Amino acid sequence: MKRDAPGPAMDARNSSTLGTSVPQVTARAKVLGRAQYAGDIKVAGMLHGKVLRSPYPHARIVNIDVSAALALPGVKAVLTGADAPKTMWGVSHKERRILAEGRVIFAGEEVAAVAAITEEIARDALDLIRVDYEELPAVLSPEAAMADSTPGIHPGRNNISHEIQFERGSVDAGFATADVVYEATYNTHAQYPGYLEPMGTVAMIDAQGRLVVWTSTQSVFLARARLASAMERPVSSVRVIQATTGGGFGGKLVEDANNLIAGLLAVKTGSAVRLVNNRLEDFQACCSSLPEQITLKLGMTRDGLIVAKDVRIIAECGAYSGLTAEVIHVSAMRSDNMHRLKNVRSHASLVYTNNPPHGAFRGFGGTQMLFALNSHIDMMAGMLQLDPVDIHKRNAIGAGEVSVHGWQIGSTGLKECMDSATAAIGWQVKRKQTPAPGAKRRGVGMAAAMHVSGNRTIGNWDGSTVGLKVNEDGRVVVHSSECDMGQGAMTMLSQVVAHELNIPLAHVHVVAPDTDSSPFCIGSLASRVTIVAGNAAILAARQAREKLFEVAAGILKVDASQLEISDAGISVIGEPDKKTSLADAARQHIWRHGGEGLQVSATWDANTVMHDANYYGNIAPAYSFAAQAVEVEVDMETGQVTVVDSYVADDCGKAFNPQAIHGQTNGATAQAIGWTLYEQLQLEGGRLMNGNFADYTMPTADAVPMFRGGLVESHDPNGPYGAKGASETAILPGAPAIANAVYNAIGIRINDLPITPEKILAALRANRQALPEGARHA
């Protein structure tokens, strides 16, 4: 089923909002300025923290003198690595200290931290800290890091952080049957998340000596585990509360040291400490997306069937590996599952350098590989004189099939997405148009993508627990620790509960995640919240309904099976006048012999399988698909590429809130355009040179077209009411769609992102120089 977004109501229940476009339940608090972000929180006696960072990508810390900083009036603590726990923290590898000691290995690494009575005094104190460095040789490229003569950045190991290798089928035999074999190398670069709210934390020691942390995070429980481990405290002595989070995009998972340093300052001073990054500090501290060099070789038959795929990836994690081992895993194999493949081989290497660390970012490794794959298919389509859409369709995996890596596809709207996007852009006519005279040339391009909805790879659980409390007025409080970072988790949970209990959306309140009171959840990653928490919320709401019916059946003297909820009351089916209110039922649940407040809890864990040592296993309960078609204009004189039209079709299973999905798709599309055409972190000698929004060029409103898009509802059998993830898939096809459109416009294939005017002009110049003399002057 397809519809443009946003769309009309699709549910018959009189109070249900499922299928309708509703504002986010957090919207009013945000637009009125009432939402409390971490930087807004104030605690009596609160101090302000600031961090001193290394100016060198690699250096030995010879000496640190903090005496002058400590003597500054108003300064309460100055901490160095000697004052921090010795325990290392990290994700795949425990390799990082809260504050560096003895050596720094990237420019921006945290060396010292100050707590003072004002932020200004704390900033002044940083200038008084004297650090003597002995600069050491820095390794600033994967090629240099992988050289045999290069010492390991981390003692006791070489510079390969992680490696993935596998082969399914017989790749060499597959290539032998191919009519066309094509190989090319693609380079992708790092992208800063660009959220509005920089990382921020307020940490304090409560009256019982427990560490309490309010922070901007995508997972309160992952944050608690990291704090407890790095601070060498029992998990139960740490409480993490999610403040309103102003965007995350993967950057606020488990890789930033902000809340660790705030926690350390709070422990050492005994006071509450506020630590909020300014924009430069956030650029230096936040992990940007993983840069990868991808060499892809595909073999196809003359009718476009892919018979062999061989991938070699070299990715640079920077100084610490963080989540990049999981990111490169995605790049190495996820795109294989989009097509009906038999022969695939991959070898991916993750390499340390002395550059700032990279990590999780929206799309999580899919953007990099899908840029290469879609660009490659477009080129091979030209060689075979086929439409790239037809090649994708020829190979597209179908519902009910099992992929080459064991992924069980419950639903897919991939073909429908491609049809919708290409029809909207005028694909068939525009891709065959002859170039118009003049300097500006137009072209169209398309790309396809897939993503997971859930992911059983962190550990052998990919579930969620939701608790409901029905208050004495018949309204419902929802407890979940799946974090809302702007993507709408609270709205989704409210919609599900309101739908199941047939009550107005305004009668449901979702409590912010708090590790002391919320049930354990993994958090907002892998587009998992709608499918896992949505299913758990359905189960919890149905339990609550059963308890309400049990009480109401006694009040109304009927069997519980004869009851229904409507108009905030419980009535006998077919006898609407014979009813009691939800409030009465909730009160009666307490005020009786053996009564209690009505609260329930339910857990839903996906029926999936962790991959084995050879990366085989059905890791997600559902898989999302998307396609994008774009039209670009290329100025042959300036090299400027402008996206003049874009249409993204998103297979979300079932659209709970079309307006919200449309907003997510638009944001993803803007980020993809930024990564492809504008954004680039500039490093010189390992130092970041453009750590601000003035110099780091993100797309503004006048740099993007009016976004258009539509939803394909494939109704997944494992999803709540058929829904699956819809926040990440739309970012994946943007870069290759634009690259393919540029190629269609001017015959220039750019394999190295971003696609800048300089690269366009250089390629045009090289093309002219390659022409015969007469043709150059024609």
Side-chain angles (χ1 to χ4, degrees), residues 5 24 191-196 247-249 361-363 367 485-487 628 646-648 650 658-676 678-679 698-700 704-709 726-735 738:
Q24 300 284 351
Q191 184 177 18
Y192 171 68
Y195 36 58
L196 283 176
F249 311 119
F361 188 94
R362 190 179 200 173
T367 46
M485 53 180 172
Q487 88 282 25
Q628 183 173 358
S646 168
Y647 190 97
V648 179
D650 202 343
Q659 175 179 281
I661 298 172
H662 196 51
Q664 287 293 299
T665 298
N666 290 349
T669 304
Q671 282 184 314
I673 291 173
W675 186 54
T676 309
Y678 301 108
E679 299 177 45
M698 296 176 71
T700 54
V704 297
M706 179 65 71
F707 290 132
R708 299 192 295 136
S727 290
E728 290 190 88
T729 321
I731 198 174
L732 302 173
I738 294 169

Side-chain angles (χ1 to χ4, degrees), residues 159-162 290 315-317 321 324-325 328 348-352:
N159 287 322
I160 303 297
S161 169
H162 188 67
L290 182 66
E316 180 205 345
C317 64
S321 57
T324 53
I328 198 174
S349 301
L350 183 65
V351 183
Y352 289 115

Side-chain angles (χ1 to χ4, degrees), residues 281-328:
E281 291 167 337
D282 207 81
F283 265 92
Q284 293 176 316
C286 176
C287 290
S288 55
S289 65
L290 182 66
E292 299 182 14
Q293 182 185 82
I294 301 166
T295 300
L296 174 61
K297 182 179 178 183
L298 283 184
M300 287 186 191
T301 61
R302 60 177 50 88
D303 61 351
L305 180 69
I306 302 172
V307 292
K309 180 180 182 183
D310 192 4
V311 180
R312 177 73 174 95
I313 302 173
I314 298 175
E316 180 205 345
C317 64
Y320 297 108
S321 57
L323 278 164
T324 53
E326 286 73 16
V327 174
I328 198 174

Side-chain angles (χ1 to χ4, degrees), residues 674-688:
W675 186 54
T676 309
L677 298 178
Y678 301 108
E679 299 177 45
Q680 187 168 24
L681 292 164
Q682 301 289 345
L683 297 178
E684 290 187 13
R687 297 173 177 87
L688 180 65

Side-chain angles (χ1 to χ4, degrees), residues 609-688:
V609 180
M610 284 190 74
H611 62 73
D612 60 20
N614 198 33
Y615 308 101
Y616 189 90
N618 184 39
I619 59 165
Y623 302 95
S624 299
F625 297 85
Q628 183 173 358
V630 302
E631 183 176 8
V632 304
E633 184 174 82
V634 184
D635 190 320
M636 304 279 281
E637 294 179 347
T638 67
Q640 183 66 50
V641 177
T642 303
V643 181
V644 296
D645 197 7
S646 168
Y647 190 97
V648 179
D650 202 343
D651 168 23
C652 59
K654 157 77 175 177
F656 286 2
N657 188 348
Q659 175 179 281
I661 298 172
H662 196 51
Q664 287 293 299
T665 298
N666 290 349
T669 304
Q671 282 184 314
I673 291 173
W675 186 54
T676 309
L677 298 178
Y678 301 108
E679 299 177 45
Q680 187 168 24
L681 292 164
Q682 301 289 345
L683 297 178
E684 290 187 13
R687 297 173 177 87
L688 180 65

